[in-house]
């Protein structure tokens, strides 16, 4: 089993739709949690850090449930420009240093 | 400003060549990273530098040799690569190697490497 698992996707949605991405992680020692987005042939860009209380940034809402080891990302009123691969990323302390553990990513395609 | 720069953007090299990838950040970050990313896969960690010292080598073959000349610069020296080493090589930095929220990592645009 992978340490970070995401919906395999792809998700194809019309503009204006609400999209939910789910992610689970297996290592309870994981410390911090992030969502990155990656456009085709570009670098991953940090979208949001995910806090225990949940956090919102405009149309994006991230939630964390430590008891269930579950992370989510909700995108409301999706735009064409939201089309990308969304990576669930967990930071784990290992060997004295922090390591980012990436999920495989979920591709989102928003169409007119 | 969360900018990490990398040069070159693209690199084609033969299996007998020696080349170097360069990465720079001016955010005062003390941890820098090299990742390798193959198509349709997530990035894989190669090396971590913490306070200019090599902290993690994820069992990377010796044909990849990292170097951290100072706190802003990170190089990856390449020698005798194989075609399967063709990938996007990403550099990233974070404020510090340990702690929690200070560990958001910011990625550079990457170098797309093709080994012929």
């Amino acid at each position: 089993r992978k340490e970070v698992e995401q919906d395999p996707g792809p998700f194809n949605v019309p503009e204006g739709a609400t999209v939910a991405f789910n992610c689970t992680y297996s290592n309870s020692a994981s410390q911090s949690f992030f969502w990155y987005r990656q456009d085709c042939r570009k670098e991953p860009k940090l979208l949001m850090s995910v806090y225990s209380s949940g956090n919102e940034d405009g149309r994006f809402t991230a939630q964390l449930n430590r008891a269930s080891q579950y992370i989510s990302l909700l995108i409301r009123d999706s735009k064409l420009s939201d089309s990308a691969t969304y990576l669930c990323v967990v930071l784990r302390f290992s060997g004295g240093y922090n390591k980012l553990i990436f999920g495989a990513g979920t591709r989102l395609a928003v169409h007119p | 400003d969360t900018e990490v720069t990398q040069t070159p953007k693209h690199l084609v090299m033969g299996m007998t060549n020696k080349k170097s990838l360069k990465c720079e950040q001016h955010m005062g970050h003390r941890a820098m990273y090299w990742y390798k990313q193959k198509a349709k896969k997530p990035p894989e960690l190669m090396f971590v530098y913490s306070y200019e010292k090599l902290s993690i080598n994820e069992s990377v073959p010796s044909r990849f040799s990292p170097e951290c000349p100072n706190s802003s610069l990170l190089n990856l020296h390449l020698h005798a690569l194989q075609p399967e080493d063709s990938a996007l090589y990403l550099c990233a930095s974070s404020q510090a190697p340990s702690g929690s929220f200070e560990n958001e990592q910011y990625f550079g645009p990457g170098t797309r490497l093709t080994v012929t």
Side-chain angles (χ1 to χ4, degrees):
Chain A
R1 184 188 169 196
K2 292 182 183 172
E3 188 168 344
V4 179
E5 302 247 31
Q6 293 184 242
D7 291 331
F11 291 0
N12 292 295
V13 303
E15 277 186 286
T18 295
V19 188
F21 298 106
N22 301 311
C23 173
T24 57
Y25 60 96
S26 60
N27 192 322
S28 58
S30 301
Q31 295 183 298
S32 303
F33 309 89
F34 310 95
W35 284 101
Y36 281 77
R37 69 168 278 168
Q38 187 169 24
D39 293 277
C40 188
R41 300 179 71 80
K42 299 281 191 182
E43 75 276 22
K45 287 191 188 293
L46 180 64
L47 182 64
M48 297 176 79
S49 299
V50 188
Y51 306 130
S52 295
S53 54
N55 46 307
E56 186 173 310
D57 182 4
R59 297 182 295 109
F60 300 85
T61 301
Q63 298 276 355
L64 168 65
N65 184 322
R66 282 189 186 266
S68 304
Q69 297 182 193
Y70 169 86
I71 309 157
S72 66
L73 175 68
L74 189 75
I75 304 178
R76 289 181 298 281
D77 187 24
S78 51
K79 313 287 184 196
L80 295 175
S81 57
D82 294 332
S83 298
T85 295
Y86 289 82
L87 296 160
C88 176
V89 184
V90 167
L91 189 143
R92 173 164 57 76
F93 196 64
S94 172
Y97 297 93
N98 286 310
K99 287 182 62 170
L100 287 188
I101 312 296
F102 287 81
T106 304
R107 193 159 61 85
L108 171 66
V110 182
H111 57 82
Chain B
D1 183 15
T2 55
E3 189 177 72
V4 178
T5 59
Q6 289 187 244
T7 55
K9 285 196 169 89
H10 301 274
L11 179 62
V12 180
M13 61 185 288
M15 289 189 282
T16 57
N17 291 159
K18 282 185 183 180
K19 296 285 184 184
S20 297
L21 310 185
K22 295 186 184 304
C23 173
E24 191 166 4
Q25 57 88 13
H26 291 289
M27 297 177 278
H29 288 176
R30 303 313 303 268
M32 295 185 76
Y33 311 79
W34 280 114
Y35 289 85
K36 172 182 175 180
Q37 187 174 24
K38 301 283 271 186
K40 299 189 190 303
K41 299 285 187 185
E44 297 172 26
L45 182 66
M46 299 174 73
F47 301 104
V48 179
Y49 270 83
S50 168
Y51 297 96
E52 301 157 52
K53 288 188 172 23
L54 182 63
S55 307
I56 296 178
N57 176 338
E58 291 284 293
S59 304
V60 179
S62 60
R63 56 186 186 269
F64 295 92
S65 173
E67 179 199 14
C68 189
N70 60 54
S71 60
S72 302
L73 290 174
L74 188 65
N75 298 324
L76 186 63
H77 302 298
L78 314 172
H79 174 53
L81 294 195
Q82 304 296 311
E84 59 265 28
D85 296 322
S86 299
L88 179 67
Y89 287 85
L90 293 159
C91 175
S93 70
S94 66
Q95 191 168 344
S98 62
S100 57
F101 300 120
E102 59 206 22
N103 276 289
E104 295 172 342
Q105 285 188 25
Y106 297 94
F107 286 82
T111 293
R112 193 159 296 280
L113 174 68
T114 304
V115 182
T116 61

